Amino acid sequence: MRRRRKRDIVIELTALLDVIMIMIFMVMNENSKLVSEAQSKLGAVQQENIEQAGKISELSAELTEALAMLDEGNLDELFQRLESAESKLEAYQALDDEIIILNVALR
């Protein structure tokens, strides 16, 4: 039987390593873009949460004031405020039904 001689095979991996490094940099660049977009969205959401918290605190203050009026028995003033709020709401709804908005643009 003949014995085959094993030849030493040398594979050059430099090109493959270059491609892998380029792919790693591309992934890192894409991830940094995604992180910056997420941070900007987070900033907008946090600003909106701050505004909503301000509105909630205002409404809570109005609610505690209304509860205090109920406890004091000052129902006449409370009914007057409720009627004025209802009339404003009806007026806004009537305006919403009647007003038509037209956008005109020159081309």
Side-chain angles (χ1 to χ4, degrees):
M1 279 196 184
R2 283 184 156 184
R3 283 185 131 190
R4 286 182 119 186
R5 290 184 4 185
K6 292 184 181 180
R7 294 185 183 176
D8 292 335
I9 299 175
V10 176
I11 299 175
E12 188 67 32
L13 296 177
T14 306
L16 181 62
L17 290 175
D18 289 341
V19 170
I20 290 173
M21 291 299 290
I22 290 170
M23 291 176 67
I24 288 172
F25 285 126
M26 288 174 52
V27 168
M28 288 173 54
N29 189 21
E30 192 67 28
N31 282 343
S32 67
K33 286 180 185 177
L34 291 174
V35 167
S36 65
E37 288 176 9
Q39 285 177 344
S40 65
K41 287 180 183 178
L42 177 66
V45 168
Q46 285 177 340
Q47 183 66 28
E48 187 176 326
N49 284 345
I50 291 170
E51 292 172 2
Q52 293 293 331
K55 289 179 183 178
I56 288 172
S57 64
E58 290 175 10
L59 291 174
S60 296
E62 290 179 14
L63 180 62
T64 55
E65 184 180 323
L67 288 174
M69 284 183 191
L70 279 175
D71 290 341
E72 291 175 3
N74 195 356
L75 295 177
D76 291 333
E77 184 180 344
L78 188 61
F79 283 132
Q80 289 174 355
R81 288 178 66 184
L82 181 62
E83 288 175 4
S84 68
E86 287 176 349
S87 65
K88 285 181 185 178
L89 180 62
E90 289 173 359
Y92 286 139
Q93 287 174 345
L95 284 175
D96 189 38
D97 292 339
E98 296 297 324
I99 293 178
I100 299 172
I101 297 175
L102 297 175
N103 290 330
V104 178
L106 295 175
R107 292 186 182 196

